[in-house]
Amino acid sequence: MATEQPGQTAEQTGRVAEQTGRVAEQTGRTTGRVTRRRVRTRANLLDAAFEVFAAKGFGRVSIEEVCEAAGYSRGAFYSNFGSLDELFFALYRLRADLIAEQVSGALALDGPDLDVPAAVDRVTEVLLLDLDWLLVKTDFLVHAARAPDVAQTLLEHRARLRRAIADRLARARGLAVLPAVLGDVEGAAHAVVAAYDGVTTQLLLDKDVEGARVWLKQLLTALLTDGSGTP
């Protein structure tokens, strides 16, 4: 707020305040544009990196290749990420969080009762939607196996997926007793994620998406029902 200075009239003080307000408003608009532009730049870099990582593998990609694919300079890259590792982790978290949210959403569509065959169909569609994501995820797994701090990120994602599955099984009314070998809903959730891991490993090698979808549906149905599709 402008205050009247010695020798300054009230009118002059008002004009100063008005000018100050205009400057602040313009600064705010400029800051908003910069923030939106930076968000857009970051998103574009992540999208470009995803394509490059999926095509070449994390260990074979340079910052220059990501910048070229996104159409930005190294300066734009470093204004958003400190290193290629940081970008890779950000990309993994973004995609992993999206998958976890989609799985949770797919499991929540039946209301309080769980239609296991329908839920298995929806979850399978989500998990096998993107072959490129499986390539990037596998790169992250190999990288994490050699770096305990990175492994923690992967463990947290896997735990989140298991919680989403276990919570849904626990809330389902009328669900038959799970196979004794699985123990409880936590054990069932571990088994579901393990089944997904096994099927997607084969998928990465043979690229048979339809075959993988059928096989995963069969495995999940057998795990969560008596094998007939009836919980």
Side-chain angles (χ1 to χ4, degrees):
M1 180 177 179
T3 58
E4 188 171 330
Q5 300 297 319
Q8 187 179 60
T9 67
E11 182 180 353
Q12 290 172 326
T13 300
R15 285 201 297 269
V16 170
E18 183 179 350
Q19 291 170 348
T20 300
R22 285 200 298 269
V23 170
E25 183 180 353
Q26 291 169 351
T27 300
R29 286 199 298 267
T30 300
T31 300
R33 287 196 297 270
V34 170
T35 300
R36 288 193 296 272
R37 185 166 61 246
R38 182 169 184 177
V39 169
R40 186 168 59 251
T41 298
R42 181 182 176 88
N44 290 340
L45 284 166
L46 287 169
D47 287 343
F50 179 77
E51 294 180 5
V52 177
F53 288 148
K56 300 189 65 174
F58 171 67
R60 298 181 178 180
V61 173
S62 67
I63 290 175
E64 287 75 14
E65 287 173 306
V66 172
C67 291
E68 181 179 353
Y72 291 114
S73 66
R74 286 176 64 92
F77 179 94
Y78 283 114
S79 69
N80 287 276
F81 303 101
S83 66
L84 202 58
D85 273 1
E86 184 180 330
L87 181 148
F88 188 61
F89 301 154
L91 175 63
Y92 180 86
R93 291 189 185 100
L94 180 68
R95 298 277 174 157
D97 286 349
L98 176 61
I99 292 292
E101 289 169 8
Q102 288 176 328
V103 169
S104 297
L107 290 171
L109 291 179
D110 295 318
D113 296 313
L114 182 66
D115 181 345
V116 171
V120 166
D121 283 348
R122 291 192 300 268
V123 170
T124 302
E125 291 297 329
V126 170
L127 291 176
L128 295 182
L129 187 62
D130 192 345
L131 187 58
D132 283 346
W133 160 245
L134 297 178
L135 288 169
V136 174
K137 185 173 74 74
T138 301
D139 267 350
F140 192 87
L141 173 62
V142 172
H143 188 48
R146 297 185 175 92
D149 55 330
V150 179
Q152 188 59 39
T153 298
L154 184 57
L155 288 171
E156 289 169 1
H157 166 60
R158 291 171 69 83
R160 182 178 173 186
L161 268 180
R162 290 196 302 270
R163 281 196 302 272
I165 296 167
D167 288 349
R168 187 63 187 94
L169 292 176
R171 291 198 311 272
R173 292 202 299 261
L175 184 66
V177 176
L178 292 167
V181 69
L182 298 179
D184 54 17
V185 293
E186 295 291 340
H190 273 273
V192 167
V193 175
Y196 167 63
D197 287 342
V199 169
T200 53
T201 297
Q202 182 67 28
L203 172 60
L204 285 171
L205 298 176
D206 62 23
K207 306 295 189 295
D208 183 2
V209 176
E210 290 306 315
R213 182 177 293 115
V214 170
W215 181 225
L216 184 58
K217 285 180 182 179
Q218 291 173 345
L219 283 175
L220 295 184
T221 299
L223 283 170
L224 300 177
T225 71
D226 61 1
S228 66
T230 303

